[in-house]
Amino acid sequence: MTENAGRVHARRRHRSILGATVATLSIASGCSSDAGSDAGAADAATSEGRAPVIIEASERYLSHTFEDWLRQADAVVLAEVVSERRREPVADATSPKRYPVGRTIAVEVVEVYWQREGHATPDQFEMNAWGWMALETGEERPSVGERSARLEVGHRYLIALDDAGAEAKEALWTILGSGAGLPADSVIGVGEHEAQIIREPGPRNTDSNQVADAVAGLDADAAGALIAQRLNALSQATQGRD
């Protein structure tokens, strides 16, 4: 495992276990209106074979530019999701008929391309991820944030990670936000995104993601090297202004 250490002075203002806070739920059954054309070709279903529930979320901080990653990420890695487990919801008489069911995934780090000084990335760790939505009908459907990776078992991703437990001196790694999990089954842009299996990288027609656009179609090593180069260059420029 190779490592590129990034030395950065800028720090985040907010931390979140999930990388996002859901402020409002605008839930659409099946796929969002533009999801199928996010990249060249996609299968509009999850690996479970069920169309997902797309959740509109309000994030605590942004994760779509190199500056976002520099300010708020502690590592950039190629990782594979190797297993998952359901987190049982707490049921009581006041529970709504529609409610989320959490999921914890085990992530295996394949390669570390960049990390902030003082933040050693483990070889494997667990983190929370999008799970399921229990519907009024009693059915559970996979849930995913709008324009986010669901982080499906068996798929690889180029991920910007936040060491959310650093201040408490405990391990609590989590994805930075919706723009920080790029499908990387073969080249960047191929794999799972928004609970769809994307077969070909292509131009995005959703909200602009500067990082994803810069590395689309590259293999993971080339993409990781480019991201590390950009982050280190931004870090030096930031230090020069201090």
Side-chain angles (χ1 to χ4, degrees), residues 38 147-150 178 181 183 191-198 204:
D38 227 15
R147 302 181 180 92
S148 302
R150 186 171 185 265
S178 63
E192 181 271 324
H193 183 76
E194 209 177 41
Q196 299 179 88
I197 309 304
I198 299 174
R204 304 171 65 88

Side-chain angles (χ1 to χ4, degrees), residues 7 13 48 50-51 60-61 72 132 166 180 185 208 219 242:
R7 293 178 171 79
R13 292 184 179 180
E48 299 180 15
R50 291 177 289 168
R60 291 195 178 199
Y61 40 75
Q72 293 155 160
W132 298 267
D185 282 352
S208 177
D219 65 40
D242 291 343

